[in-house]
């Protein structure tokens, strides 16, 4: 998020590339640390194996702090306050029969007066299709929070709640993924690994990322945009 704040509005097209290279650099570091740390542990000592990554972290923190005067700082917002505020306000207000309906969007051909409540003053028959209120699919109970919250704030909360669906399977994913540092290592102790140590088998994860991330960035995503599948 902090890296994304460094881009201006005119540079938003670079965000996707930035995050791809950022994630790529993380996994390059993961490969180096996963490969080198076991070698230091076996050939030198546990103390050195822990001290080298710790020293590099301290060095990276110092480099990061040196450039603090050049960073762009986005104004901080209480996002949790906005989220719970919109939900609390919407839940505290009673529903209305027409809250999910569009107002009339026109007048009948036979009308000589303005539309009113879905029907016209001077209609001699039933209201035409354009004069009947339609149900809005983009409206939810959260829209009751306006006012005091703006339409933009409410749309942000809607977007967050839609994203929460993606996080539902995450506990299952991480419970399986984090076994690469436990069960995988225990199983590797019973396998022939050539010159690799059991704890170096976790190299597979960042290696796959190094292969898949550029493939997605330069092959799959452009292809999805060309065929109209990009969101």
């Amino acid at each position: 998020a902090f890296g994304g704040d460094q881009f201006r509005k005119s540079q938003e097209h670079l965000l996707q590339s930035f995050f791809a290279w950022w994630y790529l650099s993380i996994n390059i570091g993961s490969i180096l640390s996963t490969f080198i740390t076991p070698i230091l542990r076996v050939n030198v000592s546990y103390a050195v194996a822990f001290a080298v990554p710790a020293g590099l972290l301290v060095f990276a923190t110092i480099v990061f702090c040196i450039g603090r005067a050049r960073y762009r700082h986005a104004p901080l917002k209480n996002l949790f306050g906005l989220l719970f505020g919109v939900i609390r306000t919407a839940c505290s207000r009673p529903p209305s029969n027409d809250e999910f309906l569009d107002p009339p969007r026109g007048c009948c051909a036979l009308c000589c007066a303005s539309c009113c409540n879905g029907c016209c003053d001077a209609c001699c028959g039933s209201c035409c299709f354009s004069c009947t209120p339609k149900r809005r699919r983009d409206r939810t109970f959260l829209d009751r929070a306006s006012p005091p919250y703006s339409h933009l704030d409410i749309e942000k909360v809607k977007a967050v709640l839609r994203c929460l669906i993606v996080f539902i399977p995450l506990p299952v994913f991480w419970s399986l993924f984090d076994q690469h540092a436990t069960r995988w290592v225990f199983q590797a102790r019973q396998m022939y690994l050539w010159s690799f140590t059991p704890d170096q088998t976790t190299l597979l994860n960042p290696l796959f990322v190094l292969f898949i991330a550029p493939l997605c960035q330069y092959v799959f995503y452009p292809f999805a945009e060309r065929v109209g599948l990009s969101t």
Side-chain angles (χ1 to χ4, degrees), residues 22 24 27 30-31 46 51 57 68 78 100 112 117 130 138-139 141 150 183-184 189 195 209 227:
W22 171 75
L24 203 65
N27 284 276
S30 178
I31 289 176
Y46 277 94
L57 283 173
R68 67 184 183 276
N78 187 358
F100 299 122
C112 59
N117 294 327
S130 64
D138 62 330
R139 290 185 65 85
F141 79 99
S150 67
R183 291 292 181 183
W184 280 27
R189 290 177 178 175
S195 58
V209 172
V227 299

mmCIF file of all heavy atoms in Angstrom, residues 22 24 27 30-31 46 51 57 68 78 100 112 117 130 138-139 141 150 183-184 189 195 209 227:
data_model
loop_
_atom_site.group_PDB
_atom_site.id
_atom_site.type_symbol
_atom_site.label_atom_id
_atom_site.label_comp_id
_atom_site.label_asym_id
_atom_site.label_seq_id
_atom_site.Cartn_x
_atom_site.Cartn_y
_atom_site.Cartn_z
ATOM 1 N N TRP A 22 7.554 -5.957 -7.448
ATOM 2 C CA TRP A 22 7.733 -5.996 -5.989
ATOM 3 C C TRP A 22 7.606 -7.422 -5.469
ATOM 4 O O TRP A 22 8.428 -7.889 -4.676
ATOM 5 C CB TRP A 22 6.683 -5.083 -5.347
ATOM 6 C CG TRP A 22 6.606 -5.198 -3.860
ATOM 7 C CD1 TRP A 22 7.485 -4.693 -2.935
ATOM 8 C CD2 TRP A 22 5.588 -5.865 -3.104
ATOM 9 N NE1 TRP A 22 7.066 -5.010 -1.648
ATOM 10 C CE2 TRP A 22 5.916 -5.731 -1.737
ATOM 11 C CE3 TRP A 22 4.441 -6.563 -3.458
ATOM 12 C CZ2 TRP A 22 5.131 -6.257 -0.722
ATOM 13 C CZ3 TRP A 22 3.648 -7.097 -2.449
ATOM 14 C CH2 TRP A 22 4.006 -6.940 -1.108
ATOM 15 N N LEU A 24 7.981 -10.097 -7.198
ATOM 16 C CA LEU A 24 9.088 -10.865 -7.763
ATOM 17 C C LEU A 24 10.347 -10.692 -6.919
ATOM 18 O O LEU A 24 11.070 -11.660 -6.635
ATOM 19 C CB LEU A 24 9.340 -10.408 -9.201
ATOM 20 C CG LEU A 24 10.035 -11.384 -10.150
ATOM 21 C CD1 LEU A 24 9.161 -12.600 -10.385
ATOM 22 C CD2 LEU A 24 10.332 -10.703 -11.472
ATOM 23 N N ASN A 27 10.327 -12.732 -3.702
ATOM 24 C CA ASN A 27 10.594 -14.152 -3.881
ATOM 25 C C ASN A 27 12.039 -14.421 -4.288
ATOM 26 O O ASN A 27 12.565 -15.505 -3.998
ATOM 27 C CB ASN A 27 9.623 -14.722 -4.915
ATOM 28 C CG ASN A 27 8.239 -14.921 -4.348
ATOM 29 O OD1 ASN A 27 7.946 -15.934 -3.728
ATOM 30 N ND2 ASN A 27 7.373 -13.934 -4.557
ATOM 31 N N SER A 30 13.577 -14.540 -1.038
ATOM 32 C CA SER A 30 13.213 -15.793 -0.379
ATOM 33 C C SER A 30 14.058 -16.957 -0.888
ATOM 34 O O SER A 30 14.486 -17.814 -0.112
ATOM 35 C CB SER A 30 11.728 -16.081 -0.607
ATOM 36 O OG SER A 30 11.349 -17.300 -0.028
ATOM 37 N N ILE A 31 14.321 -16.978 -2.188
ATOM 38 C CA ILE A 31 15.162 -18.034 -2.750
ATOM 39 C C ILE A 31 16.570 -17.973 -2.176
ATOM 40 O O ILE A 31 17.147 -18.991 -1.754
ATOM 41 C CB ILE A 31 15.193 -17.925 -4.285
ATOM 42 C CG1 ILE A 31 13.851 -18.332 -4.874
ATOM 43 C CG2 ILE A 31 16.306 -18.794 -4.865
ATOM 44 C CD1 ILE A 31 13.770 -18.163 -6.373
ATOM 45 N N TYR A 46 24.665 -22.102 13.838
ATOM 46 C CA TYR A 46 23.313 -21.547 13.904
ATOM 47 C C TYR A 46 23.355 -20.039 14.136
ATOM 48 O O TYR A 46 22.515 -19.300 13.616
ATOM 49 C CB TYR A 46 22.520 -22.222 15.025
ATOM 50 C CG TYR A 46 21.908 -23.541 14.637
ATOM 51 C CD1 TYR A 46 22.577 -24.740 14.880
ATOM 52 C CD2 TYR A 46 20.659 -23.591 14.026
ATOM 53 C CE1 TYR A 46 22.014 -25.953 14.531
ATOM 54 C CE2 TYR A 46 20.084 -24.796 13.667
ATOM 55 C CZ TYR A 46 20.762 -25.981 13.928
ATOM 56 O OH TYR A 46 20.196 -27.188 13.564
ATOM 57 N N ALA A 51 22.273 -14.633 12.222
ATOM 58 C CA ALA A 51 22.820 -13.275 12.241
ATOM 59 C C ALA A 51 22.842 -12.642 10.848
ATOM 60 O O ALA A 51 22.602 -11.440 10.715
ATOM 61 C CB ALA A 51 24.229 -13.288 12.823
ATOM 62 N N LEU A 57 18.327 -7.422 7.325
ATOM 63 C CA LEU A 57 17.082 -6.716 7.643
ATOM 64 C C LEU A 57 17.367 -5.335 8.230
ATOM 65 O O LEU A 57 16.704 -4.350 7.895
ATOM 66 C CB LEU A 57 16.244 -7.539 8.619
ATOM 67 C CG LEU A 57 15.480 -8.727 8.029
ATOM 68 C CD1 LEU A 57 14.837 -9.545 9.143
ATOM 69 C CD2 LEU A 57 14.411 -8.245 7.058
ATOM 70 N N ARG A 68 13.319 8.609 3.471
ATOM 71 C CA ARG A 68 12.000 9.011 3.974
ATOM 72 C C ARG A 68 11.610 10.428 3.573
ATOM 73 O O ARG A 68 10.423 10.736 3.469
ATOM 74 C CB ARG A 68 11.949 8.858 5.497
ATOM 75 C CG ARG A 68 12.843 9.807 6.258
ATOM 76 C CD ARG A 68 12.782 9.492 7.763
ATOM 77 N NE ARG A 68 13.571 10.430 8.547
ATOM 78 C CZ ARG A 68 14.865 10.336 8.763
ATOM 79 N NH1 ARG A 68 15.530 9.319 8.229
ATOM 80 N NH2 ARG A 68 15.519 11.219 9.496
ATOM 81 N N ASN A 78 -9.458 6.868 8.637
ATOM 82 C CA ASN A 78 -9.930 5.817 9.527
ATOM 83 C C ASN A 78 -10.876 4.907 8.742
ATOM 84 O O ASN A 78 -12.106 5.090 8.761
ATOM 85 C CB ASN A 78 -10.636 6.426 10.736
ATOM 86 C CG ASN A 78 -10.988 5.363 11.771
ATOM 87 O OD1 ASN A 78 -10.734 4.176 11.573
ATOM 88 N ND2 ASN A 78 -11.580 5.789 12.867
ATOM 89 N N PHE A 100 -35.162 0.622 -3.182
ATOM 90 C CA PHE A 100 -34.410 -0.062 -4.227
ATOM 91 C C PHE A 100 -34.940 0.255 -5.627
ATOM 92 O O PHE A 100 -34.626 -0.435 -6.589
ATOM 93 C CB PHE A 100 -34.438 -1.574 -4.012
ATOM 94 C CG PHE A 100 -33.829 -2.005 -2.722
ATOM 95 C CD1 PHE A 100 -34.559 -2.731 -1.791
ATOM 96 C CD2 PHE A 100 -32.523 -1.675 -2.410
ATOM 97 C CE1 PHE A 100 -33.989 -3.120 -0.599
ATOM 98 C CE2 PHE A 100 -31.945 -2.064 -1.211
ATOM 99 C CZ PHE A 100 -32.684 -2.786 -0.301
ATOM 100 N N CYS A 112 -49.478 14.880 -20.783
ATOM 101 C CA CYS A 112 -49.237 16.295 -21.000
ATOM 102 C C CYS A 112 -48.782 16.955 -19.712
ATOM 103 O O CYS A 112 -48.780 18.166 -19.590
ATOM 104 C CB CYS A 112 -50.514 16.983 -21.519
ATOM 105 S SG CYS A 112 -51.916 16.832 -20.393
ATOM 106 N N ASN A 117 -44.923 9.582 -9.031
ATOM 107 C CA ASN A 117 -45.007 8.287 -8.361
ATOM 108 C C ASN A 117 -45.198 7.135 -9.342
ATOM 109 O O ASN A 117 -45.939 6.189 -9.074
ATOM 110 C CB ASN A 117 -46.139 8.271 -7.333
ATOM 111 C CG ASN A 117 -45.871 9.206 -6.181
ATOM 112 O OD1 ASN A 117 -44.730 9.394 -5.786
ATOM 113 N ND2 ASN A 117 -46.930 9.799 -5.646
ATOM 114 N N SER A 130 -41.421 3.289 -19.638
ATOM 115 C CA SER A 130 -40.404 4.238 -19.202
ATOM 116 C C SER A 130 -40.844 5.048 -18.003
ATOM 117 O O SER A 130 -40.044 5.714 -17.368
ATOM 118 C CB SER A 130 -40.047 5.185 -20.354
ATOM 119 O OG SER A 130 -41.165 5.967 -20.709
ATOM 120 N N ASP A 138 -27.944 -2.181 -8.205
ATOM 121 C CA ASP A 138 -26.741 -1.711 -7.530
ATOM 122 C C ASP A 138 -27.034 -1.127 -6.155
ATOM 123 O O ASP A 138 -26.116 -0.726 -5.445
ATOM 124 C CB ASP A 138 -26.035 -0.664 -8.389
ATOM 125 C CG ASP A 138 -26.901 0.562 -8.628
ATOM 126 O OD1 ASP A 138 -28.144 0.414 -8.654
ATOM 127 O OD2 ASP A 138 -26.341 1.656 -8.799
ATOM 128 N N ARG A 139 -28.294 -1.069 -5.769
ATOM 129 C CA ARG A 139 -28.657 -0.511 -4.466
ATOM 130 C C ARG A 139 -28.799 -1.632 -3.445
ATOM 131 O O ARG A 139 -29.361 -2.688 -3.723
ATOM 132 C CB ARG A 139 -29.956 0.290 -4.549
ATOM 133 C CG ARG A 139 -29.824 1.578 -5.312
ATOM 134 C CD ARG A 139 -31.104 2.379 -5.252
ATOM 135 N NE ARG A 139 -31.409 2.833 -3.894
ATOM 136 C CZ ARG A 139 -30.914 3.944 -3.356
ATOM 137 N NH1 ARG A 139 -30.089 4.715 -4.055
ATOM 138 N NH2 ARG A 139 -31.242 4.308 -2.130
ATOM 139 N N PHE A 141 -28.962 -2.299 1.190
ATOM 140 C CA PHE A 141 -29.382 -1.646 2.424
ATOM 141 C C PHE A 141 -28.364 -0.604 2.894
ATOM 142 O O PHE A 141 -28.697 0.300 3.658
ATOM 143 C CB PHE A 141 -29.603 -2.693 3.521
ATOM 144 C CG PHE A 141 -28.334 -3.181 4.158
ATOM 145 C CD1 PHE A 141 -27.908 -2.667 5.374
ATOM 146 C CD2 PHE A 141 -27.557 -4.155 3.540
ATOM 147 C CE1 PHE A 141 -26.734 -3.109 5.970
ATOM 148 C CE2 PHE A 141 -26.391 -4.599 4.123
ATOM 149 C CZ PHE A 141 -25.970 -4.072 5.337
ATOM 150 N N SER A 150 -21.337 9.947 2.088
ATOM 151 C CA SER A 150 -21.471 10.239 0.665
ATOM 152 C C SER A 150 -21.642 8.955 -0.129
ATOM 153 O O SER A 150 -21.374 7.845 0.359
ATOM 154 C CB SER A 150 -20.238 10.996 0.165
ATOM 155 O OG SER A 150 -19.083 10.162 0.213
ATOM 156 N N ARG A 183 5.763 -30.149 7.391
ATOM 157 C CA ARG A 183 5.574 -31.484 6.848
ATOM 158 C C ARG A 183 6.479 -31.762 5.659
ATOM 159 O O ARG A 183 6.980 -32.879 5.493
ATOM 160 C CB ARG A 183 4.112 -31.682 6.438
ATOM 161 C CG ARG A 183 3.154 -31.740 7.629
ATOM 162 C CD ARG A 183 3.378 -33.005 8.436
ATOM 163 N NE ARG A 183 2.454 -33.099 9.555
ATOM 164 C CZ ARG A 183 2.482 -34.079 10.460
ATOM 165 N NH1 ARG A 183 3.402 -35.033 10.360
ATOM 166 N NH2 ARG A 183 1.628 -34.092 11.452
ATOM 167 N N TRP A 184 6.659 -30.761 4.810
ATOM 168 C CA TRP A 184 7.535 -30.955 3.661
ATOM 169 C C TRP A 184 8.960 -31.268 4.107
ATOM 170 O O TRP A 184 9.625 -32.136 3.537
ATOM 171 C CB TRP A 184 7.540 -29.695 2.789
ATOM 172 C CG TRP A 184 6.358 -29.564 1.883
ATOM 173 C CD1 TRP A 184 5.112 -30.081 2.086
ATOM 174 C CD2 TRP A 184 6.328 -28.895 0.636
ATOM 175 N NE1 TRP A 184 4.295 -29.740 1.051
ATOM 176 C CE2 TRP A 184 5.006 -29.025 0.145
ATOM 177 C CE3 TRP A 184 7.265 -28.182 -0.103
ATOM 178 C CZ2 TRP A 184 4.613 -28.463 -1.071
ATOM 179 C CZ3 TRP A 184 6.880 -27.626 -1.305
ATOM 180 C CH2 TRP A 184 5.565 -27.768 -1.788
ATOM 181 N N ARG A 189 13.316 -35.399 4.755
ATOM 182 C CA ARG A 189 14.365 -36.119 5.490
ATOM 183 C C ARG A 189 14.408 -37.590 5.113
ATOM 184 O O ARG A 189 15.414 -38.260 5.312
ATOM 185 C CB ARG A 189 14.131 -35.990 6.995
ATOM 186 C CG ARG A 189 14.377 -34.583 7.540
ATOM 187 C CD ARG A 189 14.054 -34.513 9.010
ATOM 188 N NE ARG A 189 14.343 -33.173 9.556
ATOM 189 C CZ ARG A 189 14.069 -32.812 10.800
ATOM 190 N NH1 ARG A 189 13.506 -33.676 11.640
ATOM 191 N NH2 ARG A 189 14.361 -31.587 11.206
ATOM 192 N N SER A 195 22.332 -33.137 -3.418
ATOM 193 C CA SER A 195 23.165 -32.358 -2.489
ATOM 194 C C SER A 195 22.361 -31.323 -1.709
ATOM 195 O O SER A 195 22.934 -30.481 -1.019
ATOM 196 C CB SER A 195 24.281 -31.648 -3.266
ATOM 197 O OG SER A 195 23.733 -30.794 -4.268
ATOM 198 N N VAL A 209 6.853 -19.081 -8.097
ATOM 199 C CA VAL A 209 6.403 -17.695 -8.225
ATOM 200 C C VAL A 209 7.230 -16.963 -9.279
ATOM 201 O O VAL A 209 6.692 -16.206 -10.093
ATOM 202 C CB VAL A 209 6.482 -16.968 -6.863
ATOM 203 C CG1 VAL A 209 6.214 -15.485 -7.031
ATOM 204 C CG2 VAL A 209 5.504 -17.572 -5.889
ATOM 205 N N VAL A 227 -9.130 -10.576 -25.145
ATOM 206 C CA VAL A 227 -10.366 -11.325 -25.373
ATOM 207 C C VAL A 227 -11.531 -10.824 -24.520
ATOM 208 O O VAL A 227 -12.615 -11.397 -24.544
ATOM 209 C CB VAL A 227 -10.130 -12.825 -25.092
ATOM 210 C CG1 VAL A 227 -9.060 -13.379 -26.032
ATOM 211 C CG2 VAL A 227 -9.753 -13.081 -23.638
#
